[in-house]
Amino acid sequence: MRLTTKGRYAVTAMLDLALHAQHGPVSLADISERQGISLSYLEQLFAKLRRGNLVSSVRGPGGGYQLSRNMQGIQVAQVIDAVNESVDATRCQGLGDCHAGDTCLTHHLWCDLSQQIHEFLSGISLADLVTRREVQEVAQRQDLRRCNNKTQLLDKIETSAVE
Amino acid sequence: MRLTTKGRYAVTAMLDLALHAQHGPVSLADISERQGISLSYLEQLFAKLRRGNLVSSVRGPGGGYQLSRNMQGIQVAQVIDAVNESVDATRCQGLGDCHAGDTCLTHHLWCDLSQQIHEFLSGISLADLVTRREVQEVAQRQDLRRCNNKTQLLDKIETSAVE
DNA sequence: CTATTCCCGAGTGTTTAAGTCAACTATAAG
DNA sequence: CTTATAGTTGACTTAAACACTCGGGAATAG
C-alpha cells in the first residue's frame, strides 16, 4: 500500500476542479497556481484521471477539464485508484499466495486493513468534501490570495456582482 | 503514508516470535527460514525493533530474541512505527503546513484517514493475532513443513512428548 | 577455543515518485 | 487564416527508498 503526494495531489486537484466547476472548464494552469502543483506533473496525473473516466477535457482557449459526472458520484477511493496508488495493503493483491504459494502469517490482517481503508475512502465523495467547512475556508483563502497576487480583482468583482 | 514489505515483514517476524515464545529465545535464522525473509534484512529490522523497546536479545549459542513485554502489550501499530513506516497519511505529519505554510485543501481528509488507520492498527495486539484461527493454521503448516524439510523430527517428537 | 548468535556499517540494484523539457494537436477568437 | 490558448504525449532526470548482500565484529554457552 502506498499513499504519497501523487494520490494526494490527485484528490486535491479533483477537489479544486469541483470547487470551481461553476465557471466552466478549469485549466491545469489555474489548478497548478492555486494548489502549488507542477503543471507538467498535473498533466501526467490528469492523463490518468481521464483514462479512469473521472474527468473530460475541452481543448483550445477557454478550455480545461471538467468532472465527467456529478460530485456525488466521484469517491476519493476512485481518484486514488485512477492514479495507480493502490489502497491494497497485502503483498499478494489479496490473492493469498504471499508466502511460497500459500498465505503468509499476516495475510488476513492486511486484508482487513485494506478493507477498512477502502470502505473509509469509498464513503467520501467530492461533494462531501466541498460542503465541509474547513475545505470552504481554505478554498476561500486560496481564491483571495490569487486575486491579490494577480490583480484579477475586476474579474472577481464582476463575478460576485452577478451572483 | 507507506505500508510495504518492510512493515509487513516486521509484523510477521514479531508474530512468529510470539508464536514460538514458549521455547525460549528465537533466533533470526529460524524466523528467516520459516517466514522466508532474508536473514540480513531481518537483522536490520530487529535493530529497529530493539531500539523501539519491543524486543530484547540474548547473545551466544541458544540465544535469539524475546518480546520485551507480554503479547497483549504490543500493538501492530507500534511494530510498524518502530521500523519507520509511518502510518500518517498527511504530507505535513499533521502539522498543517502542507501548502505554503497553511493547510492544503485536503489536509483534514488525510488527518481523518490517518486517525482511522491508526485506531485500527492500535486495536490489534500480537495476542489478538496469535489467537486467530487463520493464524494458527498457517503457523501449524509452517512448523510441519520445517520439520519435514530439515528432518528435525526427533527434536519435535521430544518436545511434544514433554508437553 | 570454538561455534553460535547478535550487532553494525557499508555498499548495490531496482523501482518509483516527482518533476522537467520539448514537440505535438485541437480550437476559439480576431 | 493566423494566433494564442490549452490539452496530449513521450522521453528524460533526479532523488529517495526498499530490499537486499557482504564482511567484519563482539558476546557467550559448551
Side-chain angles (χ1 to χ4, degrees), chain B residues 14 38 49 57 67-68 74 80 104 114 124:
Chain B
M14 287 293 282
S38 137
L49 294 172
S57 63
L67 299 181
S68 62
I74 300 182
I80 294 177
C104 69
S114 301
I124 301 175

Side-chain angles (χ1 to χ4, degrees), chain A residues 9-155:
Chain A
Y9 276 177
V11 176
T12 302
M14 287 292 283
L15 182 52
D16 186 281
L17 212 57
L19 284 163
H20 299 86
Q22 68 270 20
H23 304 303
V26 182
S27 75
L28 293 189
D30 284 359
I31 299 180
S32 167
E33 195 188 331
R34 273 193 296 261
Q35 305 305 331
I37 306 173
S38 138
L39 177 57
S40 298
Y41 198 42
L42 272 178
E43 285 171 351
Q44 285 179 41
L45 295 181
F46 271 80
K48 294 187 176 184
L49 294 172
R50 194 162 170 269
R51 262 172 250 142
N53 281 320
L54 294 177
V55 296
S56 59
S57 64
V58 180
R59 286 184 160 197
Y65 283 93
Q66 295 170 317
L67 299 180
S68 62
R69 25 198 151 108
N70 60 15
M71 296 189 257
Q72 289 79 26
I74 300 181
Q75 275 75 43
V76 173
Q78 297 174 340
V79 176
I80 294 178
D81 209 47
V83 293
N84 297 346
E85 290 221 307
S86 172
V87 148
D88 184 33
T90 63
R91 175 182 217 182
C92 54
Q93 272 75 258
L95 296 175
D97 57 347
C98 15
H99 179 210
D102 259 319
T103 58
C104 69
L105 260 187
T106 45
H107 177 76
H108 294 88
L109 172 63
W110 310 124
C111 276
D112 290 353
L113 175 62
S114 300
Q115 200 189 336
Q116 189 83 189
I117 297 172
H118 196 264
E119 273 173 20
F120 179 75
L121 293 178
S122 292
I124 301 175
S125 70
L126 289 182
D128 293 333
L129 291 176
V130 165
T131 53
R132 272 183 72 159
R133 194 159 153 254
E134 305 93 16
V135 172
Q136 290 180 343
E137 284 172 3
V138 175
Q140 203 173 0
R141 198 183 64 221
Q142 291 177 345
D143 285 341
L144 278 177
R145 183 196 318 222
R146 196 182 164 228
C147 281
N148 293 336
N149 285 352
K150 305 270 290 182
T151 60
Q152 290 178 328
L153 280 168
L154 286 174
D155 177 40

